[in-house]
Amino acid sequence: MAANEKQIETMGMYATDENSEETKGVFGDDKNHEIKYRTLSWPFVAMIMITEIVTGGTLTLPQALAVVGIVPGLILIVFCGVFALFTSLLLIDFKINHPEVHNMGDAGYILFAPFGLGAVGREVLSCGTIIFAITIVGATQLLGQEALATLSGSKVCLMAYTGIFAVPILLCALPRTLNTGLSWFSLAACVSVLIACIVGMAGAGAEPTADRVVSATVPSNFYTAFLSITNPVIAYAGHFMFFPLISEMEKPRDAKKAAWALQIFATTFYAVFAVVTYYYLGNNVQNPSVLSLSLKWAKATWGLLLPNILVGGSLYNHTAAKILFVRIFRNSHHLHSHTVRAWSVWIGLVVLMNALGFVLAVGVPIFAYLCGIAAALFASWYTYGLAGAFWIHDTYHLKGSAALRRHWIMWTICILTILVGTFICVAGMYAIVKSLVIAYATGAVGHPFAC
């Protein structure tokens, strides 16, 4: 059995005391190490979470309201926010019970080990996390491309803009600890997205769409409705980063404060932005909504949003690289030291993740659909479904089957959480694949590496 798996198997179910993070955590007690990971406070973790969740996806929400109507759309945004808060608290409890868990792969080992499938669960959830993170890196590069093209008047090839934006994403992701740079960059990113979306709402209000139609409800078929629903679902899809973030917290038990701050801010912000923008732009609002603004307001919004997009992409780049880095050097002095081997591997991993995101973004004509497929396959579970399974696992293994019977209401809610994750996964795959088939049939799919 590998060292990592043995550590998880022997320690995973019993680490519930307050000092367990220092003795059994991913980075242990690193006060005397060259590189100290466990330095983040909960306000900085909250800002990092806001940066990686409240980003360019915000701009897709007004169109979701245009498809289903303002009433069901708003209900959906609020429901997803409350549900995401509930599942985030369950994930944090699982992390506190198992401080050695660094990512969804480690959690998957613990979850499936009782069935003799620990190694399988670990590899599937680890690969899913990395794939999902890489697709988001590519998506942020494309958002940066769109922003730079709008600001410059599309004076060069669009692929060049993607490459230009990929460079600062790479550079910001290079520090090996989150507190070295990305936590402070996240402060600027939070301010960036807040001001940018306020300017976007102001632009919509200053120059509203003439003869616009605003609908309370819009009749639509299952395919159309669920395809629009994926926008609010994906807007909260950042839970897979909770484990790596909490692993670098000075006091992991404060993570719930960060989760509350994140979800209150995100849900309120999403609801206000979506409703205000949709009200002024109407049912013809584009996706992203900034495309429906006049050029001057679009430039102002994109320009202010650039720091948020940049830091968000760097966080996902950093996280994908960190998962493999910890996997390679866990229980090794290279993890905490400035060795040539450690830095060479780290830089190589960051470059690799960034390059893969770039190649997917510009080289795969169906990349937008690929992002949707990744979200349906992985975000549905990481953000929603698996949280219920984690609670059931820990309650049974830490407190016994009698505890499940005593907490039957919570058990029922967690079963429903798993079912919701399953529904989002299956229905999301159906909607995305059908839209991809339609795109091919209508000739809407472009060409790889095109300007």
Side-chain angles (χ1 to χ4, degrees):
M1 181 181 294
N4 290 357
E5 296 174 354
K6 185 175 182 180
Q7 180 188 28
I8 291 172
E9 181 183 56
T10 56
M11 292 163 32
M13 298 179 184
Y14 311 102
T16 56
D17 60 279
E18 292 189 2
N19 296 321
S20 61
E21 179 67 26
E22 289 193 0
T23 58
K24 302 176 181 180
V26 179
F27 303 108
D29 183 3
D30 60 0
K31 294 183 177 65
N32 297 319
H33 292 147
E34 282 185 278
I35 298 177
K36 299 174 178 59
Y37 292 92
R38 297 184 55 244
T39 56
L40 290 174
S41 63
W42 76 261
F44 274 108
V45 171
M47 285 188 291
I48 292 174
M49 289 177 174
I50 290 172
T51 298
E52 57 103 2
I53 288 181
V54 185
T55 182
T58 310
L59 304 176
T60 68
L61 296 177
Q63 193 189 58
L65 268 60
V67 174
V68 299
I70 194 169
V71 174
L74 183 58
I75 291 173
L76 181 65
I77 290 172
V78 174
F79 171 78
C80 287
V82 174
F83 195 20
L85 173 61
F86 170 72
T87 55
S88 66
L89 296 177
L90 294 185
L91 291 178
I92 292 169
D93 282 336
F94 186 83
K95 168 61 180 176
I96 292 173
N97 290 338
H98 308 273
E100 74 283 3
V101 167
H102 177 254
N103 55 72
M104 281 290 178
D106 293 341
Y109 183 86
I110 293 173
L111 186 62
F112 290 99
F115 308 101
L117 298 172
V120 175
R122 179 177 186 173
E123 300 306 329
V124 170
L125 295 189
S126 290
C127 289
T129 301
I130 294 171
I131 291 170
F132 188 52
I134 290 173
T135 59
I136 301 180
V137 171
T140 57
Q141 291 174 356
L142 287 182
L143 272 176
Q145 171 212 92
E146 196 157 7
L148 293 177
T150 301
L151 291 170
S152 66
S154 299
K155 294 181 179 178
V156 299
C157 173
L158 291 178
M159 188 170 64
Y161 287 123
T162 311
I164 291 170
F165 199 74
V167 174
I169 287 179
L170 169 67
L171 295 177
C172 289
L174 279 176
R176 277 168 57 180
T177 65
L178 288 169
N179 200 38
T180 306
L182 281 173
S183 62
W184 289 98
F185 292 155
S186 293
L187 175 59
C190 288
V191 175
S192 163
V193 70
L194 179 62
I195 297 177
C197 288
I198 290 175
V199 170
M201 288 186 288
E207 299 177 2
T209 300
D211 301 323
R212 65 188 181 279
V213 175
V214 177
S215 305
T217 60
V218 177
S220 59
N221 56 41
F222 174 82
Y223 159 71
T224 303
F226 196 86
L227 195 61
S228 68
I229 287 172
T230 56
N231 289 333
V233 170
I234 293 173
Y236 292 100
H239 284 40
F240 72 92
M241 287 185 65
F242 282 14
F243 290 154
L245 285 172
I246 298 171
S247 296
E248 298 194 31
M249 287 186 68
E250 185 178 7
K251 297 179 180 179
R253 291 177 181 272
D254 286 343
K256 289 187 177 181
K257 299 177 183 177
W260 276 97
L262 162 68
Q263 300 302 347
I264 290 174
F265 177 85
T267 304
T268 304
F269 192 68
Y270 285 161
V272 172
F273 179 80
V275 170
V276 172
T277 305
Y278 171 62
Y279 176 78
Y280 285 113
L281 298 181
N283 285 341
N284 291 325
V285 61
Q286 298 184 58
N287 183 13
S289 60
V290 69
L291 297 179
S292 296
L293 302 177
S294 65
L295 185 59
K296 66 178 181 181
W297 287 105
K299 285 186 174 182
T301 303
W302 278 127
L304 291 167
L305 192 61
L306 272 175
N308 176 270
I309 302 172
L310 169 61
V311 178
S314 298
L315 283 169
Y316 286 106
N317 192 343
H318 180 100
T319 300
K322 181 71 73 66
I323 290 172
L324 288 174
F325 185 77
V326 171
R327 178 81 174 264
I328 294 170
F329 290 118
R330 195 163 187 166
N331 302 320
S332 164
H333 74 281
H334 295 289
L335 185 65
H336 298 276
S337 304
H338 292 292
T339 64
V340 174
R341 180 186 298 179
W343 273 108
S344 298
V345 171
W346 172 249
I347 293 172
L349 288 173
V350 173
V351 172
L352 175 63
M353 299 306 157
N354 194 273
L356 288 174
F358 174 80
V359 171
L360 287 174
V362 302
V364 179
I366 61 169
F367 178 70
Y369 302 95
L370 185 65
C371 290
I373 291 172
L377 284 176
F378 305 120
S380 58
W381 292 107
Y382 297 155
T383 306
Y384 300 110
L386 282 177
F390 289 150
W391 183 89
I392 292 172
H393 173 278
D394 274 7
T395 301
Y396 177 79
H397 286 282
L398 297 179
K399 300 178 181 179
S401 59
L404 290 177
R405 293 191 294 271
R406 287 196 307 271
H407 301 286
W408 64 271
I409 295 178
M410 186 65 176
W411 181 87
T412 303
I413 294 173
C414 287
I415 291 295
L416 290 174
T417 299
I418 297 172
L419 294 177
V420 169
T422 304
F423 173 74
I424 294 174
C425 178
V426 175
M429 281 294 296
Y430 165 78
I432 296 298
V433 171
K434 183 175 179 178
S435 65
L436 178 58
V437 171
I438 294 173
Y440 268 111
T442 58
V445 176
H447 302 282
F449 302 104
C451 285

